[in-house]
Structures are given as C-alpha cells and as structure tokens.
Amino acid sequence: VYKRQILHRSSRALQRWFATNRVPCLVRGTPHGDISLPFLDVDWQATARHAAGLLWRLGHRRVAILTPPDRLQGVEAAVTGAGEIKEPGFEVIELTENGTAAGIERTFQRALGLKNPPTAFIAVRARQVASLLGSAGRAGLRVPDDLSLVSLAREPFLEFLVPEVTGYRSDPAVVARQVVRRLEQMVSGNVSPGGNPWLVTEVVKGGSVAAPGLA
C-alpha cells in the first residue's frame, strides 16, 4: 500500500510513473505538460514575465536568464515567461550553468564576453545569486550601478546580501498550510484535491535593480 507522496523537483519520468500507476501524490512543483497530477507551485511563467517586464521598464534591452542544469517544468515555464515580453529591441537570452559556483562564474564571464552583453540577469535559483554577485565583483561591476539582478526564488540568506536582491517571495507558513490541506483531502479519499494550485508571491523590492549602466 502506497502512502500519499510529495514529489519535489521531480522529473517527467517520475511523474509519469505515478500518473500511470495511479499512486496518490502531490507534485510540489509544476507537472510536465502531458501529465495530469495534483500540484502546488509558484506560477513561474507569470513571475518571470513580471521580472522581465520590470527590467524592460527600467531601460534594459538585453537580459540573461540563468537556468540550472535540471530541466524541470518550472524552469521551462520561467524561460517561456521571460520571453513573453515582445517589446521592440528587447531580448532575453538563456544561459545554463552546471550547478557549481565555478560554473556560474564561467557562464557569467561568457555572457560579458558577448558582442552585446546583457545588462541584467534573472536568476531562476536562489543559490545562483551569491555566485552572480561574487562574479560581478570580481569583474569590477557594481550591482545595481553596472548590472541589475533579480531572483525568481527566495531563500532566507538573500536577506543578508548587500545589496538585498530584488525578487519574489512566498510565505512559508502559507505554503505549508496549503500542502497539509491538500494531503488531508487526499487521505480522505479525494485523490485530486481542488483549489488554486498556484502560490501567491509578493515582490521584494530590494536594491539590486536600476537603469542599465553597461555600455
């Protein structure tokens, strides 16, 4: 007998197994497009679209979105959302790092070496932020004077960085209550609990974005 499972950062193959075998589960993330499972996640597409729009309004015209090596559905949604700003002259380029601090720095350096380098970065993972700030400092760039930075994900350590990074935050207590509520429904026999599967985020203004300063 399977217990109710929570799938976190799960692959398409894992999600498909649970769907095919009808094992009750809750995806703490976004299901892949062809898989129907109950889930709870931030709307990464809308969040990244908001971040890209914010940078556009500040005057940025070339923005990099830094993605992790694991191609989860939430990551794909974020890339899609950032690319939905169809303003003239605005471009979003995807840069994938290898999951290490050194890999992030190499990716950052490659971005700066482009003929038309980005003036802002959107970090998909919170862990990328510290490496990006350090890489910018080693390159002699100041955030936000020379380079803007937005983080789609939020972790407590970001509050202790200088400058505090602009981004998006979900209330952990609210998230926990929603997870418990859905699991309780599943235990009661409702294998497809209803309710809004999207978590509401609030914008953290921070101090890491400004009008572009790179030539």
Side-chain angles (χ1 to χ4, degrees), residues 78-152:
V79 173
T80 297
E84 288 177 343
I85 305 299
K86 301 298 185 183
E87 298 291 346
F90 185 72
E91 182 182 9
V92 175
I93 58 173
E94 180 186 355
L95 301 173
T96 302
E97 43 93 1
N98 67 2
T100 69
I104 292 173
E105 183 169 28
R106 286 193 298 270
T107 302
F108 179 81
Q109 291 171 342
R110 287 199 301 271
L112 294 187
L114 296 174
K115 182 177 180 181
N116 186 15
T119 59
F121 275 77
I122 297 174
V124 171
R125 297 274 188 259
R127 64 168 177 77
Q128 298 168 335
V129 172
S131 296
L132 285 172
L133 282 174
S135 299
R138 287 170 61 136
L141 301 175
R142 297 167 299 172
V143 175
D145 303 74
D146 303 311
L147 191 73
S148 286
L149 176 59
V150 177
S151 178
L152 300 185

Side-chain angles (χ1 to χ4, degrees), residues 153-198:
R154 194 76 183 174
E155 297 290 348
F157 78 88
L158 293 180
E159 299 176 8
F160 297 93
L161 297 178
V162 179
E164 183 175 0
V165 176
T166 298
Y168 303 85
R169 174 171 53 205
S170 300
D171 186 334
V174 172
V175 175
R177 285 197 296 270
Q178 293 191 33
V179 169
V180 170
R181 187 179 302 120
R182 281 167 169 75
L183 289 177
E184 287 175 342
Q185 291 177 322
M186 294 171 68
V187 170
S188 299
N190 182 5
V191 296
S192 298
N196 186 356
W198 299 116

Side-chain angles (χ1 to χ4, degrees), residues 4-118:
R4 276 61 181 172
Q5 304 287 334
I6 297 177
L7 307 184
H8 180 59
R9 292 189 179 177
S10 50
S11 66
R12 182 190 298 271
L14 182 61
Q15 291 178 9
R16 188 184 301 281
W17 186 91
F18 274 82
T20 300
N21 291 279
R22 298 183 180 181
V23 177
C25 68
L26 175 68
V27 177
R28 180 58 184 91
T30 304
H32 290 271
D34 59 343
I35 296 172
S36 179
L37 288 173
F39 71 96
L40 185 67
D41 200 9
V42 170
D43 187 340
W44 295 113
Q45 184 169 338
T47 303
R49 182 171 61 244
H50 185 277
L54 168 66
L55 294 169
W56 158 262
R57 290 189 295 274
L58 285 171
H60 295 275
R61 294 299 177 262
R62 189 164 169 85
V63 173
I65 182 167
L66 187 62
T67 58
D70 50 330
R71 300 300 298 185
L72 302 178
Q73 189 65 15
V75 174
E76 299 288 355
V79 173
T80 297
E84 288 177 343
I85 305 299
K86 301 298 185 183
E87 298 291 346
F90 185 72
E91 182 182 9
V92 175
I93 58 173
E94 180 186 355
L95 301 173
T96 302
E97 43 93 1
N98 67 2
T100 69
I104 292 173
E105 183 169 28
R106 286 193 298 270
T107 302
F108 179 81
Q109 291 171 342
R110 287 199 301 271
L112 294 187
L114 296 174
K115 182 177 180 181
N116 186 15

